[in-house]
């Protein structure tokens, strides 16, 4: 799926690989509107034929409108006409010009005296086109331009008489623009859902293959290595590390985000090793991307302290809890522990700068509990936004 929120494209890739324009129904409706309203304009000229001062001018105007209807309809039916707003703006300019072509059929004094502008409702076409391509703002711009053109033909003295037309143009621009913007937002969510579904399906397929082959072999190597002893123990340890890495890869979720946020769990799961367990909620924990990056750096520093000071056999646990507007991170180990004074003593720059400093910059709080022989536990609470 490919979506441009600049207001020009909203595409989704179907399961068969074909790219589908999700805005296509609106564009097709616009083409039908253009054709039908041109027919209405022709009928209006025919029904008022005797009251038109210069019928030949009306025929020229209708011919120009018909030619542009064909060109615009072909454009809006093709990707080149929908991928940006150039055709919609050209439509706006040409339509305004066609409105002034009414002067070929009726003198200006007659138009200001009550004679019809022969474009009729056909003139609303570019309002809808801009609303579809640019949303609410595009619709309002188109409505304002057509309204000004109509006002210049009718005259300021007749402003009250065209008020209903102006209102209809504004409402059309607002409603269609809102619908188009809503469609694009829905398309963005659909894109993310399709990407997540595809990634999950592929991950499940790979997981089955890995579980049926590689993980079983690694488990067998680990058991045999420990049973043989000697140098084979080192091989068993390597097999255990790779087994954990593969299981972590299988458990890692797709890197999906939403409006500048990212799943913190997805960033932390790869930190798991035979000596580090990462425990996360079943659902996503979406955190502002910059904050998530800082929190991962904090966790890495805490785990580095475990590796350096907790002892060679120490195990560590990283736990993520979703508190709604905040996230709670706990890093605990069962190592040798220490005292609070020694932890804060000079030389532990990772504690004062990389951990406490980063959390303070994020406006969060840090609590540490430690004692000799009882390991160390860090608890950090930070806002998600």
């Amino acid at each position: 799926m490919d979506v441009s929120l600049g207001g020009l494209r909203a595409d989704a890739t179907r399961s068969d690989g074909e790219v589908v324009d999700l805005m296509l129904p609106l564009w097709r409706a616009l083409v039908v509107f253009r054709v039908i309203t041109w027919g209405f304009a022709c009928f209006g000229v025919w029904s008022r034929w005797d009251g038109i001062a210069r019928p030949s001018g009306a025929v020229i105007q209708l011919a120009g409108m018909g030619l542009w209807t064909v060109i615009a309809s072909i454009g809006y039916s093709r990707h080149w006409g929908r991928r940006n707003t150039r055709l919609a703006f050209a439509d706006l300019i040409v339509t305004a010009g066609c409105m002034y072509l009414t002067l070929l059929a009726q003198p200006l004094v007659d138009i200001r005296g009550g004679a019809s502008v022969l474009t009729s409702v056909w003139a609303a076409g570019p309002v809808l086109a801009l609303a579809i391509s640019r949303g609410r703002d595009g619709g309002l711009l188109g409505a304002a331009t057509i309204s000004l053109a109509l006002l210049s033909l009718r005259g300021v003295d007749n402003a009250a008489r065209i008020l209903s037309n102006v209102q209809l143009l504004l409402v059309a621009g607002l409603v269609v623009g809102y619908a188009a913007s809503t469609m694009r937002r829905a398309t963005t969510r659909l894109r993310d859902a399709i990407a997540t579904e595809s990634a999950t399906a592929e991950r499940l397929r790979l997981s089955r293959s890995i579980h049926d082959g590689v993980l079983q072999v690694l488990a067998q190597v680990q058991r045999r290595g420990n049973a043989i002893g000697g140098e084979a123990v080192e091989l068993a340890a390597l097999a255990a590390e790779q087994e954990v890495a593969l299981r972590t890869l299988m458990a890692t979720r797709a890197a999906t985000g939403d409006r500048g946020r990212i799943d913190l769990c997805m960033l932390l799961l790869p930190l798991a090793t035979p000596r580090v367990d990462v425990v996360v909620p079943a659902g996503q924990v979406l955190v502002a991307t910059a904050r998530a990056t800082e929190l991962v750096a904090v966790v890495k520093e805490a785990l580095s302290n475990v590796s350096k000071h907790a002892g060679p056999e120490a195990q560590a646990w990283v736990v993520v809890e979703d508190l709604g507007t905040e996230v709670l991170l706990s890093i605990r180990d069962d190592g040798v522990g220490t005292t609070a004074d020694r932890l804060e003593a000079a030389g532990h720059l990772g504690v004062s700068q990389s951990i406490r400093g980063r959390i303070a910059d994020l406006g969060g709080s840090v609590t540490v509990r430690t004692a000799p022989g009882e390991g160390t536990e860090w608890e950090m609470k930070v806002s998600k936004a």
Side-chain angles (χ1 to χ4, degrees), residues 251-254 263 265-266 269 279-285 320-322:
T252 302
R253 299 191 281 256
D263 184 11
C265 303
M266 177 274 299
L269 281 171
V279 182
V280 299
Q284 291 185 332
V285 179
V320 180
E321 295 183 54
D322 190 348

Side-chain angles (χ1 to χ4, degrees), residues 278-348:
V278 180
V279 182
V280 299
Q284 291 185 332
V285 179
L286 294 176
V287 180
T289 303
R291 288 177 169 266
T293 302
E294 288 294 291
L295 289 175
V296 172
V298 168
V299 173
K300 287 182 177 179
E301 181 61 32
L303 293 177
S304 175
N305 285 336
V306 173
S307 177
K308 294 176 182 177
H309 307 296
E313 303 299 327
Q315 291 286 127
W317 294 264
V318 178
V319 181
V320 180
E321 295 183 54
D322 190 348
L323 303 181
T325 59
E326 296 179 316
V327 60
L328 179 65
L329 270 178
S330 300
I331 303 101
R332 180 173 60 87
D333 67 73
D334 60 358
V336 297
T338 183
T339 63
D341 293 338
R342 291 184 60 189
L343 187 65
E344 302 292 345
H348 289 78

Side-chain angles (χ1 to χ4, degrees), residues 32-341:
V32 173
F33 174 85
R34 270 304 209 186
V35 174
I36 291 177
T37 53
W38 179 77
F40 285 162
C42 292
F43 178 78
V45 170
W46 176 78
S47 63
R48 295 189 295 270
W49 185 262
D50 293 337
I52 296 176
R54 293 185 289 271
S56 60
V59 173
I60 294 174
Q61 180 183 18
L62 290 176
M65 291 168 55
L67 177 62
W68 181 248
T69 297
V70 172
I71 295 173
S73 297
I74 293 174
Y76 294 140
S77 300
R78 300 287 188 272
H79 173 64
W80 61 264
R82 302 191 301 263
R83 66 183 178 183
N84 53 48
T85 56
R86 292 175 184 173
L87 181 58
F89 277 114
D91 194 0
L92 181 65
I93 294 171
V94 173
T95 298
C98 287
M99 293 175 67
Y100 286 108
L101 285 179
T102 302
L103 296 174
L104 296 176
Q106 299 280 24
L108 182 61
V109 64
D110 289 350
I111 296 175
R112 294 187 173 179
S116 299
V117 177
L118 301 185
T119 51
S120 185
V121 73
W122 182 85
V127 177
L128 302 180
L130 285 168
I132 295 172
S133 61
R134 300 296 297 182
R136 177 199 62 192
D137 295 341
L140 290 177
L141 174 62
T145 302
I146 297 300
S147 297
L148 288 174
L150 182 61
L151 180 63
S152 67
L153 286 169
R154 288 294 191 185
V156 178
D157 294 339
N158 295 313
R161 298 174 59 181
I162 66 170
L163 182 60
S164 60
N165 293 330
V166 172
Q167 290 175 337
L168 288 175
L169 288 172
L170 290 174
V171 169
L174 281 172
V175 172
V176 175
Y178 176 77
S181 299
T182 301
M183 175 71 76
R184 287 191 173 85
R185 287 193 294 268
T187 299
T188 302
R189 298 188 181 97
L190 178 61
R191 176 198 60 189
D192 293 340
I194 291 177
T196 301
E197 182 181 2
S198 300
T200 300
E202 180 64 15
R203 190 174 300 278
L204 288 174
R205 185 186 68 80
L206 291 174
S207 296
R208 287 193 294 268
S209 300
I210 292 173
H211 184 272
D212 293 341
V214 180
L215 287 180
Q216 293 183 9
V217 172
L218 289 174
Q220 180 69 13
V221 170
Q222 183 181 358
R223 288 194 297 269
R224 293 291 295 166
N226 289 327
I228 295 172
E231 295 182 355
V233 173
E234 182 179 353
L235 181 62
L238 291 174
E241 291 179 2
Q242 293 305 309
E243 182 183 2
V244 171
L246 284 174
R247 290 189 183 278
T248 300
L249 177 63
M250 292 163 59
T252 302
R253 299 191 281 256
T256 57
D258 175 39
R259 298 179 182 178
R261 299 185 296 168
I262 195 168
D263 184 11
L264 178 63
C265 303
M266 177 274 299
L267 299 178
L268 293 177
L269 281 171
L271 300 181
T273 69
R275 294 179 54 191
V276 178
D277 288 333
V278 180
V279 182
V280 299
Q284 291 185 332
V285 179
L286 294 176
V287 180
T289 303
R291 288 177 169 266
T293 302
E294 288 294 291
L295 289 175
V296 172
V298 168
V299 173
K300 287 182 177 179
E301 181 61 32
L303 293 177
S304 175
N305 285 336
V306 173
S307 177
K308 294 176 182 177
H309 307 296
E313 303 299 327
Q315 291 286 127
W317 294 264
V318 178
V319 181
V320 180
E321 295 183 54
D322 190 348
L323 303 181
T325 59
E326 296 179 316
V327 60
L328 179 65
L329 270 178
S330 300
I331 303 101
R332 180 173 60 87
D333 67 73
D334 60 358
V336 297
T338 183
T339 63
D341 293 338

